[in-house]
Amino acid sequence: MPHIHPETELHNPQSAKPPLDPHLKALENEAIHIFREVAAEFERPVMLYSIGKDSSVLLHLARKAFYPGRVPFQLLHVNTGWKFAEMIAFRNEIVERYDLDLIEHVNPRGAAENVTPFTHGSALYTDIMKTEALRQALDAGQFDAAFGGARRDEEASRAKERIYSFRTPDHRWDPRNQRPELWNVYNGMIRKGESVRAFPLSNWTEVDIWRYIQAEDIPIVPLYFAEKRPIVERDGMMILAEDPRLELLPGETKREEVIRFRTLGCFPLTGAIRSNATTLDDIISELETATVSERQGRAIDRDQSGSMEKKKREGYF
Amino acid sequence: MTAPATANAVEHVVAGEVLAFPAQEPARAARDSRPLRLITCGSVDDGKSTLIGRLLWDTKAVKEDQAATLQRDSNGKQNDLGLPDFALLLDGLQAEREQGITIDVAYRYFSTDKRSFIVADTPGHEQYTRNMATGASTADLAVLLVDARVGLLEQTRRHATIATLMGIKQFVLAVNKIDLTDYDRARFEEISHEFRELALSLGVRQVTAIPVSALKGENVVYDGRAAMPWYDGPTLIEVLELATTRSAQTVGFRLPVQRVSRPGESFRGYQGTVAGGSVKPGDSVVILPSGMVANVTKIVTFDLVRNAAVAGDAITLVLDRQVDVSRGDMIVAIDSQPLTGLSFDAQLVALQAEGIQPGKRYWLKSGSRRQRVQVQPASQLDLKTGKWNQAEQLPMNAIGKVHLSFDEQAIFDTYEQNRTTGAFILIDPDTNNTVAGGMITAKRSALGGIHTEDARVILSLPADLADQLMATELFANRREEAEIRRVSAGKAVEIIDDIDG
């Protein structure tokens, strides 16, 4: 794909697809508005790209927002070294296909000290390989705005986060002291060193993401679709057992199951679900009858004391 | 984008009396309309958290693991139906609750087969003005909650007043805890009648009153016919499903330019979100503030070159000639232009502890345009009485009328005409914080006989009015700003005609 689209290329081959329903169209319009506003107001924006479904939607919206121009900022992938192999292959293909400018960052300290989810525990590992790594990469690039794919429906603490979420020079978020955000008028004024995280998908729900992926035919990592895959059960999660670095603990056995992933992160910390959903239709209908939230498969934000006890009260409804 | 035909049905609903609610179901097609944004007003005592919790629960927006967390957090606190304490669902993380930072706006999402909903959930107590104004700025509808045993409170009036100021035109009065009055129909009708009077005094005509028990789930998502056979109106969710979403399609075309796209020499497009009206190739447009005229040749989007775009669409516009357009400019319909000028009247809500200082220069951002402005407070609304009192400055949470003076041409519609091009925020240049949200009410012109920055203005008034005005304290305090001339009523009409002409 050339950097510059001559006018004759304006007719997009995708134009044959049916128009979006008004609900998704409204969400799309809002996200494009946010992309353009941030790109215009900030000097060095960057887009956090995590390869998951939300990132795929985010990237698609960015391409739409700046068409017929190129996406006018870099993508940043904070790699922990423990992502699913299929994610990395997918990422490389997407970068190639859409002519994107990708920065990959691995925390050099973590790599040097060989910080792994197995040796350091999930909390410390996440802190070093994700949080600290992200700070390093944002500082190195001197980025004053970073797009993220977070949604307000994901968890309670995000329900109050602004679309322009202000960060101090040391990247801190003060939830008690957020700027009021009225209408769609965003305040992008910051001092040197301060930055903003911008969330174009704030008002999207998980179902919206999937319905949009379907409507827009957005490529996603195949791990979202059910397939027979090798797994091992650990801490109540089914972990993909493909990577040679995964050592079986005493009592653990590898077996095959038809599974898929509802969210994608680091393979040792991401639990699969039993599912037969092999198409987007299947995923959406599975989701519409789902009784657990998507974050449930993530070890890092599972509550220690939370048990997934079946609730009898369901019968009431 | 087109609203479903059935949506209009709600417009015929008046307080407490549902005149025409469609008997037939709207089309079964999943989500045939845009998401409805609503705000809930009321206090914990009115059962607001329970009501929102009930909406989320009965529409299955709460998942099992979240419910389990909720169950644990409830610590045995359950209502008499064995359900967890819904309030906890809304208050976010445990840490958040302990730190008491719920004085803010949270957004909740739920959906039915017919539509999705975004609820701005604002606390009913402290700093409610600031938070309500924030939540209401994007809302299409307000749900006001009252306790059936208590009836309307002073805060109901406050909430209704703020919602109206922020441009909300559809109200639902949820008369909650109706079960605790033994489903007293007369009580419900008394409250809804009283509210109808209040709404009318605020100029709101679209009101639906519903007797509900959020705790028992009656008339929220499921109907409460078993307990209230006398009520044959809609449930809350039915009203929400059929409410109209905000649309600025009937006014003139407006495109605040966010950025100029120049991927190559052969292409130049102006990117932005249509803030009013519609546009199609061939339309003549004016670029403001320069006033240059051009014609639209193309509407470009990623998917296709479109033959029209309407309010809400994020587009790239191509014009037929080389004109100077940059971010912050507005491309508008040639035959329906917004107001431009250096001086405007506005209402605003002060959002920060510093309040709004008279004469201070702020940044004003409206659409994609940011410019310097001087703000002169004129009066403040007393939410208790609904009266505007003279004010020199506006403390936090105050709603005030102000005069805006610009160094460079400003471009607005009135908020009444257009909720996008009539809205703005003020940014304090010292802190970079957002200190006010405002709504344009009018353009001020020197000829109009209204006070301007330096000039002494002349008011020509009928003799009796002139005497009355000059006797007021307000005028006495500002005598140097204006001169009043006594004329006959007939002469006054002539002068007005001259000005308007």
Side-chain angles (χ1 to χ4, degrees), chain B residues 42-227:
Chain B
S43 70
V44 178
D45 298 339
D46 302 324
K48 183 170 71 86
S49 299
T50 312
L51 181 73
I52 300 175
R54 171 60 70 182
L55 276 170
L56 299 183
W57 190 270
D58 282 1
T59 57
K60 313 269 192 289
V62 184
K63 300 299 186 189
E64 233 173 65
D65 51 331
Q66 295 166 325
T69 310
L70 188 61
Q71 202 73 44
R72 197 183 56 245
D73 290 353
S74 302
N75 208 9
K77 271 195 294 177
Q78 288 185 355
N79 62 44
D80 56 6
L81 298 167
L83 293 170
D85 183 351
F86 289 134
L88 294 174
L89 180 67
L90 306 177
D91 279 350
L93 299 171
Q94 181 100 35
E96 226 181 332
R97 285 199 294 277
E98 284 162 2
Q99 292 163 22
I101 56 162
T102 50
I103 304 173
D104 209 324
V105 187
Y107 294 89
R108 321 282 174 198
Y109 303 82
F110 64 95
S111 60
T112 65
D113 288 347
K114 290 165 196 144
R115 183 178 239 176
S116 328
F117 305 91
I118 303 175
V119 186
D121 176 19
T122 60
H125 43 89
E126 280 174 82
Q127 300 193 9
Y128 62 87
T129 306
R130 163 192 149 130
N131 292 310
M132 245 207 80
T134 303
S137 70
T138 50
D140 304 298
L141 178 148
V143 177
L144 281 86
L145 209 65
V146 296
D147 184 328
R149 298 166 302 173
V150 180
L152 301 195
L153 290 170
E154 193 182 294
Q155 79 162 9
T156 317
R157 165 177 282 282
R158 294 178 187 218
H159 292 158
T161 305
I162 297 166
T164 310
L165 274 171
M166 299 304 293
I168 296 176
K169 295 189 184 335
Q170 304 175 88
F171 281 24
V172 174
L173 180 74
V175 182
N176 193 27
K177 305 190 185 181
I178 194 76
D179 50 322
L180 300 182
T181 69
D182 287 330
Y183 303 99
D184 185 345
R185 178 181 193 170
R187 179 70 185 139
F188 166 71
E189 279 168 3
E190 182 191 343
I191 294 170
S192 33
H193 175 76
E194 204 186 327
F195 185 74
R196 185 174 10 180
E197 301 279 299
L198 167 62
L200 274 177
S201 75
L202 294 168
V204 176
R205 289 189 305 271
Q206 261 174 261
V207 177
T208 311
I210 307 171
V212 306
S213 167
L215 191 66
K216 297 192 171 171
E218 290 161 342
N219 285 336
V220 181
V221 172
Y222 301 106
D223 73 63
R225 227 159 268 147

Side-chain angles (χ1 to χ4, degrees), chain B residues 4 36 156 168 177 203 280 288 294 330 339 407 482:
Chain B
L36 184 81
T156 317
I168 296 176
K177 305 190 185 181
K280 58 183 189 310
L288 293 176
M330 205 189 290
L339 308 167
D407 303 336

Side-chain angles (χ1 to χ4, degrees), chain A residues 7 176 191 203 291 313 317, chain B residues 57 64 82 101 109 266 430:
Chain A
E7 271 185 85
R176 270 165 293 184
R191 292 199 182 87
N203 286 321
T291 54
R313 273 158 210 93
F317 301 104
Chain B
W57 190 270
E64 233 173 65
I101 56 162
Y109 303 82
S266 60
D430 301 330

Side-chain angles (χ1 to χ4, degrees), chain A residues 34-43 45 66, chain B residues 258-260 327:
Chain A
I34 295 162
F35 264 118
R36 288 171 171 174
E37 198 63 11
V38 172
E41 277 200 306
F42 291 85
E43 280 172 31
F66 302 106
Chain B
Q258 287 184 284
R259 64 192 296 274
V260 179
R327 172 173 167 82

